[in-house]
Amino acid sequence: MSTSIHQPDVKITSEFWQQYRQLIVKEVLPYQWSVMNDEADVKITDEKGGTNPDSKNSHAIANLKIAAGQATGHHFGFPFQDTDVYKWLEAAAYSFNYHPDNNLKKITDNLIDLIASAQDDDGYLVTFFQIDAPKRKFKRLQQSHELYTMGHYIEAGVAYYQATGNQKALTIATKMADCIDHHFGAEETKLHAADGHPEIELALAKLFDVTNEKRYLNLAHYFLVNRGVNPEFYDHQLKADGWDNDIIPGMHGVTHRYFQVDQPLLTQADAKGHAVRVVYLCTGMAHVARLTGDQELFAACKRLWNSIVHKRMYVTGGIGSTNIGEAFTYDYDLPNETMYAETCASVGMTFFAQQMLQNEANGEYGDIIEKELFNGALSGMSLDGKHFFYVNPLTADPQFQENPSKSHIMSRRQDWFGCACCPSNIARLISSIDQYIYTTTNATILSHQFIANQATFDQGIKIKQTNNFPWENTIHYDITNPQHISKKLGIRIPGWSATTFTLKVNGQPQTLLVKNGFIYLSITEGLTIDLTLDFHIHELQANDAVAEDAGKVALQRGPLVYCIEQADNPQNLWHYQLLSDDQTTYRFQPDLLNGIGTLSATAVVRKTTSQAVLYQNYQPTVWQPTTLTFIPYYAWANRTDGQMRVWINKANA
């Protein structure tokens, strides 16, 4: 394991991602700020399709003003409402690295001042408890989200300090961490438990990275290794605080498994419970394992990684098979009509994969970062940057809203949510995407994402990566190493291209062995590299144990998973079938959905009758020839409302 990670200076030049990063600064950040200040004309939707006490306002900034004594009133929203603001602040901080904006910085500096004013003298800051429940601080950790909330500020404070040098932003974070350290730990006088929603663990690791304060790393490690050691702790707190005195209604009856405390974390082998909690927990585990060299902790990370990626993940990278608890269920249970696949879970899975890659050079971690960036996470935001998915389904139909068991599956992105964790989460991921291209150590640079960029590394090494990914398959590198530093470059060969790729170095064909998903070259003298990946259209088939996808295929070209929509295919989508010898072609359409590559496949469609009877004697199916049009999954639901499917019936599949 390596404990030394050096972040290069990376300028994104990718046309695809520049479009999104400019969308963040021009549309997403201003829009989200107006929503959180209750200035936007929006409809706020419950993530499961229900209603909220206030369907027009977020109150997130108002809560901070009340806690700071700048306004009066009661707290509104979830106990973690503050985190909407903190993730937005983190996204803004990252945006300064590629788009300085003095007007935005005035807003964010003033926001830092407001947060500092809202913080208690001892470092505590969760506005729900400060305003309405000061005597219940740390009394109901199963559902209070106190450490989760402060963890999200710590992440934002670190990012803001790194981007702007604002010392106050970092001081707020260290005061929070000191407060938590005062109340939690192995000492007899402290609480021997962690928050019901993991987050603080990864935040403390980030805070250690910037402060080198060992107490923060030790506390993160304690939270991890102590998790699940006393499964009854939450129950004891619930009883003492009043069994039915819930902060979030109905949470007191949720199982220990849901919170990942039914057994010690180091013994857990399966991803279980709330999907976002799992991947946030795993992100902290992987980071702390690297910093401490804790091999047992890293082994637990690998077990949970294998459980998620190889048995409990959708083809788009989505995780969470049920809306009941937004949770994992059991191996190969991957329903397409009642799934959850929360945007935050895909964002969190990206975090987890990045930390795993910083522990060891395994191309599969880069594969998952790519899968999430181009599919599972990116689908969570519309092309206009002002509408969002909480749930990212693989099958959608507007009529699902009439079925309570499917009403969480929406066919249109929403303005905002009562539980608005996803909009600012996808914003902070996209604005920080420059941090997900390379992983570096003293001896090696791993180039694991094909996002065109210009990067400067320690000791003057520069890499210029040129491509038109994800639409074209040629990747060009110009590498300069003026001081002739001894260095290796590892280039990920994606799993979808593992058996077919070509490589030229300084114009000469090369054959290199793939080692754990990477090829390695010495760049001591500097050189040019041309990599051509396999962009043929894959028809993917699910494991036989995935009952929902039997007889179906999903199409993938390069990193992109594709889907069909009624906007292009006017019949009910379950009536289509790809032919066994179908001819699928690719075409880039610059004027469609901000420029996308579409697939056209020969298919047949079932000839239906207009008979009104519900059931009738069997008659052989009559098929009519047609052509199916596929678009990238991330781009669906940006046109007319209608059905969508990723998995398509296949003749003789």
Side-chain angles (χ1 to χ4, degrees):
M1 293 187 187
S2 169
T3 60
S4 180
I5 300 296
H6 310 284
Q7 184 64 35
D9 179 24
V10 178
K11 178 184 178 182
I12 301 294
T13 57
S14 160
E15 183 177 341
F16 182 90
W17 286 108
Q18 275 290 75
Q19 189 175 32
Y20 271 101
R21 281 158 69 83
Q22 290 305 310
L23 185 69
I24 294 295
V25 296
K26 293 179 180 178
E27 301 292 344
V28 178
L29 292 175
Y31 171 76
Q32 294 187 359
W33 180 246
S34 68
V35 171
M36 292 185 299
N37 277 277
D38 305 331
E39 297 169 350
D41 182 16
V42 297
K43 178 182 179 182
I44 296 181
T45 308
D46 181 82
E47 68 274 15
K48 296 182 179 64
T51 58
N52 296 287
D54 187 335
S55 63
K56 297 293 292 180
N57 297 298
S58 157
H59 301 283
I61 296 295
N63 289 333
L64 284 165
K65 289 181 177 179
I66 295 169
Q70 299 178 14
T72 59
H74 287 283
H75 181 276
F76 181 89
F78 287 95
F80 48 83
Q81 203 85 346
D82 304 351
T83 64
D84 298 349
V85 179
Y86 300 156
K87 283 180 282 186
W88 177 89
L89 175 63
E90 187 179 349
Y94 296 138
S95 78
F96 292 143
N97 294 322
Y98 67 91
H99 187 91
D101 184 328
N102 289 332
N103 290 329
L104 179 60
K105 189 171 182 298
K106 288 178 183 177
I107 292 172
T108 53
D109 281 346
N110 288 336
L111 177 57
I112 292 294
D113 291 341
L114 172 61
I115 294 169
S117 296
Q119 187 173 33
D120 288 346
D121 291 340
D122 68 352
Y124 185 94
L125 176 50
V126 182
T127 61
F128 169 76
F129 291 93
Q130 292 169 289
I131 296 169
D132 286 345
K135 294 183 179 180
R136 297 180 70 187
K137 295 177 182 177
F138 302 135
K139 295 293 178 63
R140 206 175 186 88
L141 290 169
Q142 181 225 43
Q143 57 193 254
S144 69
H145 289 74
E146 289 164 276
L147 306 190
Y148 168 85
T149 299
M150 287 191 276
H152 270 303
Y153 176 79
I154 290 171
E155 285 196 86
V158 167
Y160 199 75
Y161 169 74
Q162 291 176 320
T164 68
N166 186 308
Q167 185 63 49
K168 183 183 288 188
L170 185 62
T171 299
I172 296 168
T174 56
K175 285 179 65 177
M176 281 183 179
D178 292 342
C179 173
I180 296 167
D181 185 53
H182 176 75
H183 288 277
F184 294 84
E187 294 85 349
E188 186 176 346
T189 57
K190 296 183 178 181
L191 289 165
H192 303 161
D195 200 294
H197 197 310
E199 213 291 334
I200 189 60
E201 301 83 358
L202 71 90
L204 288 171
K206 285 188 175 183
L207 188 60
F208 169 78
D209 282 340
V210 75
T211 65
N212 206 34
E213 174 53 67
K214 195 67 179 291
R215 285 187 299 114
Y216 303 150
L217 178 59
N218 290 341
L219 183 58
H221 188 265
Y222 174 79
F223 280 139
L224 292 164
V225 299
N226 188 65
R227 193 172 194 89
V229 170
N230 178 12
E232 308 303 321
F233 178 88
Y234 291 158
D235 295 338
H236 296 321
Q237 277 206 323
L238 292 171
K239 182 178 180 182
D241 190 47
W243 187 255
D244 294 322
N245 192 23
D246 282 330
I247 296 169
I248 300 176
M251 290 294 290
H252 66 267
V254 179
T255 65
H256 295 150
R257 177 184 176 91
Y258 176 83
F259 298 102
Q260 301 86 45
V261 295
D262 57 318
Q263 65 186 96
L265 181 59
L266 294 179
T267 68
Q268 294 183 22
D270 298 316
K272 53 194 176 184
H274 186 270
V276 178
R277 297 172 199 243
V278 171
V279 291
Y280 278 15
L281 181 64
C282 290
T283 301
M285 288 171 65
H287 196 162
V288 171
R290 174 172 58 82
L291 293 173
T292 62
D294 189 330
Q295 297 286 345
E296 191 176 8
L297 198 60
F298 187 60
C301 290
K302 295 185 77 169
R303 288 195 299 271
L304 291 172
W305 174 272
N306 289 330
S307 173
I308 296 170
V309 172
H310 299 295
K311 299 178 181 179
R312 301 186 178 189
M313 175 178 281
Y314 286 90
V315 70
T316 56
I319 54 175
S321 300
T322 175
N323 68 305
I324 307 300
E326 309 171 359
F328 291 104
T329 52
Y330 54 88
D331 289 350
Y332 306 113
D333 180 37
L334 295 167
N336 298 315
E337 291 191 350
T338 55
M339 64 183 292
Y340 211 70
E342 183 181 342
T343 298
C344 282
S346 284
V347 172
M349 195 68 207
T350 312
F351 299 160
F352 181 23
Q354 181 192 41
Q355 288 299 329
M356 291 298 283
L357 194 52
Q358 291 180 351
N359 274 276
E360 64 176 8
N362 185 326
E364 182 175 76
Y365 305 139
D367 286 353
I368 295 303
I369 292 174
E370 179 183 83
K371 183 184 288 288
E372 300 296 1
L373 289 180
F374 285 99
N375 301 283
L378 194 58
S379 66
M381 185 175 73
S382 65
L383 297 179
D384 69 4
K386 297 179 180 179
H387 299 86
F388 305 91
F389 274 141
Y390 199 106
V391 176
N392 294 273
L394 271 70
T395 297
D397 190 320
Q399 294 186 100
F400 285 0
Q401 293 301 299
E402 304 301 319
N403 183 336
S405 68
K406 298 179 182 180
S407 62
H408 62 290
I409 302 289
M410 297 180 182
S411 55
R412 307 299 293 170
R413 293 177 182 86
Q414 304 297 298
D415 294 349
W416 201 252
F417 301 99
C419 176
C421 49
C422 297
S424 50
N425 226 354
I426 188 63
R428 67 174 178 150
L429 177 64
I430 294 173
S431 62
S432 64
I433 201 169
D434 53 296
Q435 299 178 22
Y436 293 86
I437 300 174
Y438 299 101
T439 296
T440 64
T441 64
N442 290 329
T444 305
I445 297 171
L446 297 179
S447 172
H448 53 82
Q449 298 305 313
F450 304 116
I451 297 173
N453 70 90
Q454 298 174 7
T456 301
F457 298 81
D458 289 347
Q459 300 172 303
I461 296 173
K462 294 184 178 181
I463 297 178
K464 181 180 179 181
Q465 185 190 144
T466 308
N467 61 59
N468 189 24
F469 204 76
W471 311 120
E472 297 178 10
N473 63 338
T474 55
I475 315 296
H476 179 77
Y477 293 87
D478 284 301
I479 302 169
T480 58
N481 187 349
Q483 299 184 43
H484 305 290
I485 305 301
S486 179
K487 207 82 163 181
K488 285 187 176 181
L489 174 68
I491 300 176
R492 178 178 62 93
I493 304 300
W496 44 262
S497 187
T499 59
T500 309
F501 65 94
T502 61
L503 181 73
K504 290 182 179 180
V505 179
N506 292 333
Q508 299 301 310
Q510 301 286 326
T511 301
L512 296 177
L513 294 177
V514 179
K515 180 181 178 182
N516 292 330
F518 286 91
I519 55 172
Y520 290 90
L521 306 95
S522 171
I523 58 171
T524 303
E525 300 300 323
L527 40 80
T528 63
I529 302 169
D530 290 283
L531 175 66
T532 303
L533 299 170
D534 178 10
F535 260 37
H536 90 265
I537 299 163
H538 293 268
E539 287 189 348
L540 303 178
Q541 187 174 12
N543 186 293
D544 290 343
V546 183
E548 293 276 343
D549 299 331
K552 296 180 173 65
V553 295
L555 270 55
Q556 180 171 337
R557 180 182 183 269
L560 296 175
V561 175
Y562 279 73
C563 68
I564 57 175
E565 280 193 291
Q566 274 188 319
D568 305 302
N569 309 284
Q571 303 293 325
N572 285 320
L573 298 185
W574 57 85
H575 288 310
Y576 289 98
Q577 184 180 76
L578 288 172
L579 298 176
S580 58
D581 58 347
D582 69 281
Q583 301 295 313
T584 305
T585 58
Y586 169 81
R587 179 164 71 103
F588 186 76
Q589 299 193 54
D591 297 325
L592 179 63
L593 295 169
N594 290 348
I596 60 166
T598 62
L599 306 180
S600 295
T602 56
V604 290
V605 61
R606 188 189 312 271
K607 183 177 181 180
T608 57
T609 66
S610 59
Q611 293 182 5
V613 296
L614 182 59
Y615 302 106
Q616 60 182 324
N617 292 326
Y618 171 78
Q619 296 182 18
T621 300
V622 176
W623 296 101
Q624 298 173 314
T626 190
T627 299
L628 269 176
T629 297
F630 292 75
I631 66 168
Y633 173 75
Y634 77 83
W636 83 277
N638 280 285
R639 296 176 290 174
T640 58
D641 199 4
Q643 298 170 7
M644 181 278 296
R645 287 198 169 201
V646 169
W647 290 98
I648 315 299
N649 296 320
K650 171 76 173 180
N652 300 321

